[in-house]
């Protein structure tokens, strides 16, 4: 069975996962802190 994990930290996801759009893909993260990390990384890559 494939268990979903956080796109930022590989923590197992539960029903409270947060969806974040990175580029043209939607990924799921475990918490707002991980969501912010992905947003910041995307901003740096786009600059």
């Amino acid at each position: 069975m494939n268990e979903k994990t956080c796109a930022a930290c590989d923590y197992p996801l539960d029903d409270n996962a947060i969806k974040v759009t990175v580029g043209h893909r939607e990924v799921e993260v475990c918490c707002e802190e991980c969501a912010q990390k992905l947003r910041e990384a995307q901003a740096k890559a786009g600059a």
Side-chain angles (χ1 to χ4, degrees), residues 17 23 26 29 31:
E26 189 174 78
V29 294
C31 63

Side-chain angles (χ1 to χ4, degrees), residues 13-36:
L13 294 174
D14 57 16
D15 293 337
N16 298 320
I18 300 168
K19 293 185 180 187
V20 179
T21 301
V22 178
H24 295 288
R25 286 184 58 193
E26 189 174 78
V27 296
E28 293 182 317
V29 294
C30 62
C31 63
E32 187 57 42
E33 184 179 330
C34 286
Q36 187 61 35

Side-chain angles (χ1 to χ4, degrees), residues 32-45:
E32 187 57 42
E33 184 179 330
C34 286
Q36 187 61 35
K37 286 180 187 178
L38 288 181
R39 290 183 193 115
E40 289 173 1
Q42 180 181 5
K44 285 182 183 179

